[in-house]
Amino acid sequence: MNSTVPPLRVQNCNRAPIHDDGDYVLYWMIAARRTRWNFGLERAADWARALGKPLLVLEALRCDYPWASDRLHRFVLQGMAANADHLERTRATYYPYIERRQNGGKGLLESLARRAAVVVTDDFPCFFLPRMVAAAAERLKVRLESVDSNGLLPLRATDRVFLRAVDFRRFLQKTLPQHFDEMPRKNPLARATIPLLEQLPADVVRRWPPADLESLSDTCSLAELPIDHSVSPVSYAGGSIAADEALHRFLDRRLGRYTEGRRDVTERATSELSPYLHFGHISSHQIFSAVAEREQWNPGQVFHKATAARSGWWGMSEPAESFLDELLTWRELGYNMSWQRDDYDRYESLPAWAQKSLEEHQADSREYVYTLEEFEAAATYDELWNAAQRELVRDGRIHSYLRMLWGKKILEWSETPRDALAVMIELNNKYAVDGRNPNSYSGIFWCLGRYDRAWGPERPIFGKIRFMSSDSTRRKLDAKAYIAEFSAGRQQEIAF
DNA sequence: ATCGGCTCGCGCAA
DNA sequence: TGCGCGAAGCCGAT
């Protein structure tokens, strides 16, 4: 089949055949929840064109995955509304499905796949998604392909795992230029001369009615679903349209002072794109292209040699280079880890020196030890830490510097490093909109030594793990303003 | 305000 | 085989 998607990004998940007599090509959208800059959708559209079949897009939202809540559901549903809106103006057909009770969606994919010529899905290396795709691959009697839309570097461009950002950065500087001209199409469905699907299979629609996204956009409807209602929606909206707005807000008003401005507590010069990247509402290719365009950059400007230096290689402005180091080096480093190692979320994946040092200090006495419930309730003696925890609970994110302190203190105040890890994973996955992502795990494990080096002097509890203290943090940023913003009494501002 | 020491291990030049 | 250096640190000396 003639496809514009780079072969390195496409995996054949089973040995089942293409069905030439199928009614449509099915794109099972599970991670790249967007209609633009999406290699998976592009691949599915290529199949539809080649086979002369209609294209059906299934986007489902289960209710029984770990940490399912009003917060995560609302964000995904807003994304589905944006996708419905866009697909209505194309020749593809959209099938949004919201599971209303446990296992309610069981059999839907299989039923749709039974009539499909070929099924295409997203390759995402984290959470329950790899297991879900592997299980589907075994069951389906039709070819299932998964497509890697995760980053600028295809996951399979290397079979190594990188233990330090600097090594991965050097590798990227050597390798990325080969992939600069392999961008996904901005609108893979434009000019698609594929037949329209006359109608959805009636028996499938009867058993699994497509979601009425209008009615699900209010909180009342969320209340009917068997999900965690104690984690409330955040004040910013999900979906590709909101993501585009965030991108332009960042480029227009924040990128210029990104390098120094990120720590500013009141006027954070951060991108705020992470939740959208996590749910695939925006593509890192799109973000990269937008930055490059602002910088009037072309690939000829990169330095001729891989220096591994954090700045100066791209030939862009200093703030743009800082941002690209986050977007590309750090983000894709985490994806590489999750893809390479099944134990990316386990304590044993920490570097040997870190495990050894933490173990040597396991028996050290702890002045304060809190339970998960105390951490969750922001009930420690330290008001700066409590404010960070309240930001997480309220807004589904934590200030970029304070989130490191947040993790370091959980290590200090837990019975064992393993307990600390469990608390960090639980709270982050439950409350952070961008949790359950390779980069969540990078951040959490960094607090325990991953991607870091040993530091002296050796201290109680931490051993040689980099130590951070609330007192020095107070000297570095406007802790007063931060604590005031996330004080216990302050009401959540609803901005929509 | 700035600097070195604390400490580990990788990639690279030699 | 040795050298340089690294996501954001801390502390004490100057």
Side-chain angles (χ1 to χ4, degrees):
Chain A
M1 200 263 298
N2 212 349
S3 175
T4 47
V5 177
L8 202 51
R9 294 184 181 270
V10 181
Q11 293 300 304
N12 196 346
C13 304
N14 58 12
R15 281 157 203 241
I18 310 283
H19 290 165
D20 287 321
D21 58 343
D23 294 337
Y24 44 74
V25 169
L26 179 63
Y27 174 45
W28 181 28
M29 180 187 274
I30 59 173
R33 292 174 177 263
R34 60 176 177 269
T35 57
R36 298 170 200 263
W37 302 84
N38 181 343
F39 279 124
L41 182 58
E42 185 171 321
R43 176 80 181 179
D46 285 344
W47 272 118
R49 212 171 290 121
L51 299 170
K53 305 279 184 191
L55 174 59
L56 179 59
V57 177
L58 169 66
E59 185 178 10
L61 178 58
R62 296 167 56 170
C63 66
D64 64 343
Y65 64 91
W67 300 290
S69 65
D70 286 6
R71 173 169 297 176
L72 304 183
H73 258 59
R74 165 65 56 79
F75 205 82
V76 172
L77 285 165
Q78 286 165 329
M80 291 171 79
N83 290 339
D85 202 52
H86 182 241
L87 287 173
E88 201 160 284
R89 290 175 275 124
T90 70
R91 297 186 68 79
T93 303
Y94 187 49
Y95 195 136
Y97 176 75
I98 314 296
E99 191 178 53
R100 299 195 152 268
R101 58 187 162 76
Q102 203 173 354
N103 293 324
K106 211 171 180 176
L108 168 59
L109 173 72
E110 226 171 328
S111 299
L112 284 177
R114 213 167 286 141
R115 296 167 174 87
V118 56
V119 182
V120 177
T121 191
D122 305 316
D123 187 359
F124 181 78
C126 194
F127 204 32
F128 66 88
L129 275 69
R131 290 191 299 276
M132 179 174 74
V133 171
E138 262 184 43
R139 276 197 322 271
L140 299 193
K141 307 276 194 295
V142 59
R143 182 182 297 181
L144 175 65
E145 284 185 344
S146 74
V147 179
D148 167 14
S149 268
N150 295 294
L152 265 68
L153 185 79
L155 292 175
R156 287 168 185 78
T158 173
D159 53 9
R160 306 175 36 199
V161 66
F162 293 84
L163 273 2
R164 304 179 310 170
V166 64
D167 302 327
F168 186 60
R169 189 180 296 116
R170 191 193 315 273
F171 177 80
L172 279 185
Q173 291 172 351
K174 272 189 232 168
T175 315
L176 260 192
Q178 303 161 28
H179 300 279
F180 281 154
D181 57 354
E182 295 176 351
M183 291 280 161
R185 289 211 293 272
K186 182 177 178 180
N187 186 353
L189 300 177
R191 303 184 309 275
T193 52
I194 50 172
L196 281 171
L197 184 62
E198 298 288 332
Q199 58 173 23
L200 294 166
D203 53 322
V204 178
V205 168
R206 234 186 343 267
R207 186 156 165 204
W208 296 280
D212 176 1
L213 294 167
E214 294 277 314
S215 83
L216 275 161
S217 62
D218 66 84
T219 311
C220 290
S221 305
L222 286 176
E224 296 163 13
L225 303 178
I227 56 177
D228 185 348
H229 305 301
S230 73
V231 183
S232 49
V234 289
S235 61
Y236 43 95
S240 294
I241 295 166
D244 284 356
E245 287 167 5
L247 173 59
H248 289 110
R249 199 163 55 233
F250 174 59
L251 294 176
D252 291 342
R253 306 214 285 266
R254 293 178 160 192
L255 178 59
R257 56 193 177 90
Y258 186 77
T259 312
E260 334 74 52
R262 259 179 300 168
R263 276 195 194 184
D264 192 324
V265 166
T266 43
E267 301 284 331
R268 299 179 197 181
T270 52
S271 74
E272 299 182 334
L273 290 169
S274 177
Y276 303 107
L277 281 164
H278 170 65
F279 285 111
H281 292 162
I282 199 166
S283 150
S284 63
H285 290 89
Q286 181 188 353
I287 298 170
F288 173 78
S289 300
V291 171
E293 196 183 321
R294 288 289 166 124
E295 295 279 319
Q296 302 185 310
W297 175 90
N298 70 71
Q301 284 172 243
V302 301
F303 196 63
H304 60 277
K305 194 163 163 265
T307 59
R310 209 170 348 151
S311 184
W313 183 79
W314 288 95
M316 295 195 198
S317 70
E318 169 57 35
E321 300 238 346
S322 300
F323 176 65
L324 290 185
D325 201 50
E326 300 295 327
L327 181 73
L328 303 176
T329 309
W330 283 97
R331 179 169 179 273
E332 301 198 11
L333 179 64
Y335 275 76
N336 171 264
M337 172 70 79
S338 287
W339 176 64
Q340 289 285 330
R341 294 188 59 155
D342 289 337
D343 63 351
Y344 67 87
D345 60 346
R346 296 178 54 92
Y347 182 82
E348 290 71 24
S349 68
L350 283 171
W353 69 265
Q355 289 190 55
K356 178 166 173 282
S357 191
L358 286 169
E359 193 182 314
E360 283 165 5
H361 290 271
Q362 185 122 281
D364 293 356
S365 73
R366 273 103 168 127
E367 196 175 347
Y368 299 93
V369 174
Y370 298 107
T371 61
L372 170 65
E373 290 70 28
E374 288 167 325
F375 281 121
E376 186 166 19
T380 76
Y381 73 89
D382 182 346
E383 271 312 305
L384 185 55
W385 191 91
N386 292 346
Q389 170 63 20
R390 279 194 210 101
E391 180 177 16
L392 176 63
V393 168
R394 188 180 297 177
D395 293 345
R397 61 183 171 221
I398 303 182
H399 178 279
S400 56
Y401 190 86
L402 285 157
R403 103 175 51 136
M404 298 184 288
L405 183 70
W406 177 85
K408 292 287 185 184
K409 292 278 126 180
I410 291 174
L411 171 61
E412 188 178 334
W413 297 332
S414 293
E415 202 77 63
T416 68
R418 279 187 170 78
D419 290 346
L421 176 62
V423 167
M424 285 192 268
I425 290 175
E426 170 64 22
L427 294 180
N428 190 259
N429 283 353
K430 180 173 177 180
Y431 290 102
V433 181
D434 65 359
R436 309 152 310 281
N437 180 277
N439 288 286
S440 287
Y441 290 97
S442 294
I444 287 168
F445 277 82
W446 179 84
C447 296
L448 303 176
R450 179 181 291 172
Y451 302 133
D452 208 1
R453 68 175 187 271
W455 289 85
E458 203 166 341
R459 290 164 198 277
I461 307 173
F462 286 81
K464 293 167 184 169
I465 307 293
R466 183 194 301 250
F467 175 74
M468 290 176 78
S469 81
S470 297
D471 285 342
S472 37
T473 304
R474 274 172 229 268
R475 272 177 249 122
K476 281 194 179 117
L477 39 81
D478 191 348
K480 248 191 196 149
Y482 184 75
I483 291 168
E485 190 170 351
F486 300 102
S487 63
R490 184 144 170 191
Q491 288 295 303
Q492 182 175 6
E493 288 167 34
I494 303 292
F496 62 94

Coordinates of all heavy atoms in Angstrom, one line a residue, chain A residues 160 164 167 170 174 353 454 456 464, chain B residues 5-13:
Chain A
R160 N 18.0 1.4 22.2 CA 18.7 1.6 23.4 C 17.8 2.4 24.4 O 16.9 3.1 24.0 CB 19.9 2.5 23.3 CG 20.9 2.2 22.3 CD 22.0 3.2 22.2 NE 22.3 3.8 23.5 CZ 22.9 5.0 23.7 NH1 23.2 5.7 22.6 NH2 23.2 5.5 24.9
R164 N 20.7 9.2 30.8 CA 20.9 10.6 31.1 C 20.4 11.4 29.9 O 20.5 11.0 28.8 CB 22.4 10.9 31.3 CG 23.0 10.1 32.4 CD 24.5 10.4 32.6 NE 25.2 10.4 31.3 CZ 26.4 10.8 31.2 NH1 27.1 11.3 32.2 NH2 27.0 10.8 30.0
D167 N 22.9 12.2 27.1 CA 23.2 11.1 26.1 C 22.1 11.1 25.0 O 22.4 11.0 23.8 CB 23.3 9.8 26.8 CG 24.4 9.7 27.8 OD1 25.4 10.4 27.7 OD2 24.2 9.1 28.8
R170 N 22.4 14.2 22.7 CA 23.5 13.9 21.7 C 22.9 13.1 20.6 O 23.1 13.3 19.4 CB 24.7 13.3 22.3 CG 25.9 13.3 21.5 CD 27.0 12.3 22.0 NE 27.2 12.5 23.5 CZ 28.0 13.4 24.0 NH1 28.7 14.1 23.3 NH2 28.1 13.4 25.3
K174 N 22.2 13.9 16.5 CA 22.7 13.2 15.4 C 21.6 12.6 14.5 O 21.8 12.5 13.3 CB 23.5 12.0 15.9 CG 25.0 12.3 16.2 CD 25.7 11.0 16.5 CE 26.5 11.2 17.8 NZ 27.0 10.0 18.4
W353 N 23.0 2.9 41.7 CA 23.6 3.7 42.7 C 22.5 4.4 43.6 O 22.7 4.5 44.8 CB 24.5 4.8 42.2 CG 23.8 5.9 41.4 CD1 23.6 6.0 40.1 CD2 23.1 7.1 42.0 NE1 22.8 7.1 39.7 CE2 22.5 7.8 40.9 CE3 23.0 7.6 43.3 CZ2 21.8 9.0 41.1 CZ3 22.2 8.8 43.4 CH2 21.7 9.4 42.3
A454 N 24.7 11.3 41.5 CA 24.8 11.3 43.0 C 25.3 12.7 43.4 O 26.1 13.3 42.8 CB 25.8 10.2 43.4
G456 N 26.7 14.9 47.0 CA 27.1 14.9 48.4 C 26.8 16.2 49.0 O 26.4 17.1 48.3
K464 N 22.6 9.7 48.8 CA 23.3 10.5 47.8 C 22.3 11.1 46.7 O 22.7 11.7 45.7 CB 24.4 9.7 47.1 CG 25.5 9.3 48.0 CD 26.4 8.3 47.5 CE 27.5 7.9 48.5 NZ 28.2 6.7 48.1
Chain B
dG5 P 37.7 22.0 45.0 OP1 39.1 22.0 45.5 OP2 37.4 21.7 43.6 O5' 36.8 21.1 45.9 C5' 36.7 21.4 47.3 C4' 35.5 20.7 47.9 O4' 34.3 21.4 47.5 C3' 35.4 19.2 47.3 O3' 35.2 18.3 48.4 C2' 34.1 19.3 46.5 C1' 33.3 20.4 47.1 N9 32.4 21.1 46.3 C8 32.5 21.5 44.9 N7 31.5 22.1 44.4 C5 30.5 22.1 45.5 C6 29.2 22.6 45.5 O6 28.6 23.1 44.6 N1 28.6 22.4 46.8 C2 29.2 21.8 47.8 N2 28.5 21.6 48.9 N3 30.5 21.3 47.8 C4 31.1 21.5 46.6
dC6 P 35.6 16.9 48.2 OP1 36.4 16.4 49.3 OP2 36.0 16.6 46.8 O5' 34.1 16.2 48.3 C5' 33.4 16.4 49.5 C4' 31.9 16.2 49.1 O4' 31.4 17.3 48.3 C3' 31.6 14.9 48.3 O3' 31.2 13.9 49.1 C2' 30.5 15.4 47.3 C1' 30.3 16.8 47.7 N1 30.0 17.7 46.5 C2 28.8 18.4 46.4 O2 28.0 18.3 47.3 N3 28.6 19.1 45.3 C4 29.5 19.2 44.3 N4 29.3 19.9 43.2 C5 30.7 18.4 44.4 C6 31.0 17.7 45.5
dT7 P 31.8 12.5 49.0 OP1 31.3 11.8 50.2 OP2 33.2 12.6 48.7 O5' 31.0 11.9 47.7 C5' 29.7 11.6 47.7 C4' 29.2 11.4 46.3 O4' 29.4 12.6 45.5 C3' 30.1 10.3 45.6 O3' 29.3 9.1 45.5 C2' 30.4 10.9 44.2 C1' 29.6 12.2 44.2 N1 30.4 13.3 43.6 C2 29.8 14.0 42.5 O2 28.7 13.8 42.1 N3 30.5 15.1 42.0 C4 31.8 15.4 42.4 O4 32.4 16.3 41.9 C5 32.4 14.6 43.5 C7 33.8 14.9 44.0 C6 31.7 13.6 44.0
dC8 P 30.0 7.8 44.9 OP1 29.4 6.7 45.7 OP2 31.5 7.9 44.8 O5' 29.4 7.7 43.4 C5' 28.0 7.6 43.2 C4' 27.8 7.6 41.8 O4' 28.1 8.9 41.3 C3' 28.5 6.6 40.9 O3' 27.6 5.7 40.4 C2' 29.3 7.4 39.9 C1' 28.6 8.8 40.0 N1 29.5 10.0 39.8 C2 29.1 11.0 38.8 O2 28.1 10.8 38.2 N3 29.9 12.1 38.7 C4 31.0 12.3 39.4 N4 31.7 13.4 39.2 C5 31.4 11.3 40.4 C6 30.6 10.2 40.5
dG9 P 28.0 4.4 39.6 OP1 26.9 3.4 39.8 OP2 29.4 4.1 40.0 O5' 28.0 4.9 38.1 C5' 26.8 5.3 37.5 C4' 27.2 5.8 36.1 O4' 27.9 7.1 36.2 C3' 28.1 4.9 35.3 O3' 27.7 5.0 34.0 C2' 29.4 5.5 35.5 C1' 29.1 6.9 35.4 N9 30.1 7.8 36.0 C8 31.0 7.6 36.9 N7 31.8 8.6 37.2 C5 31.3 9.6 36.3 C6 31.8 10.9 36.1 O6 32.7 11.5 36.7 N1 31.0 11.6 35.2 C2 30.0 11.0 34.5 N2 29.4 11.8 33.6 N3 29.6 9.8 34.6 C4 30.3 9.1 35.6
dC10 P 27.2 3.7 33.2 OP1 25.9 3.4 33.7 OP2 28.3 2.8 33.0 O5' 27.0 4.4 31.7 C5' 26.1 5.5 31.6 C4' 26.7 6.6 30.7 O4' 27.7 7.3 31.5 C3' 27.3 6.0 29.5 O3' 26.5 6.4 28.4 C2' 28.7 6.7 29.4 C1' 28.7 7.7 30.5 N1 29.9 7.8 31.3 C2 30.6 9.0 31.4 O2 30.2 10.0 30.7 N3 31.7 9.1 32.1 C4 32.2 8.1 32.8 N4 33.3 8.2 33.5 C5 31.5 6.8 32.8 C6 30.4 6.7 32.0
dG11 P 26.9 5.8 26.9 OP1 25.6 5.8 26.2 OP2 27.7 4.6 27.0 O5' 27.8 7.0 26.3 C5' 27.2 8.3 26.2 C4' 28.3 9.2 25.6 O4' 29.4 9.3 26.6 C3' 28.9 8.7 24.3 O3' 29.0 9.8 23.5 C2' 30.3 8.1 24.8 C1' 30.6 9.0 26.0 N9 31.4 8.3 27.0 C8 31.3 7.0 27.5 N7 32.1 6.7 28.4 C5 32.8 7.9 28.7 C6 33.8 8.2 29.6 O6 34.3 7.5 30.4 N1 34.3 9.6 29.5 C2 33.7 10.5 28.6 N2 34.3 11.7 28.6 N3 32.8 10.2 27.7 C4 32.4 8.9 27.8
dC12 P 29.5 9.6 22.0 OP1 28.7 10.5 21.2 OP2 29.6 8.2 21.6 O5' 31.0 10.2 22.1 C5' 31.2 11.4 22.7 C4' 32.7 11.6 23.0 O4' 33.1 10.8 24.1 C3' 33.6 11.2 21.8 O3' 34.4 12.3 21.5 C2' 34.4 10.0 22.3 C1' 34.4 10.3 23.8 N1 34.6 9.1 24.7 C2 35.4 9.1 25.8 O2 36.1 10.2 26.0 N3 35.6 8.0 26.5 C4 34.9 6.9 26.3 N4 35.1 5.9 27.1 C5 34.0 6.8 25.2 C6 33.9 7.9 24.4
dA13 P 35.1 12.3 20.1 OP1 34.5 13.4 19.3 OP2 35.2 11.0 19.4 O5' 36.6 12.8 20.5 C5' 36.8 13.6 21.6 C4' 38.1 13.4 22.2 O4' 38.0 12.2 23.1 C3' 39.3 13.1 21.2 O3' 40.4 13.8 21.7 C2' 39.4 11.6 21.3 C1' 39.1 11.3 22.7 N9 38.6 10.0 22.9 C8 37.7 9.2 22.2 N7 37.4 8.1 22.7 C5 38.2 8.0 23.8 C6 38.3 7.0 24.8 N6 37.7 5.8 24.7 N1 39.2 7.2 25.8 C2 39.8 8.4 25.8 N3 39.8 9.4 25.0 C4 38.9 9.1 24.0

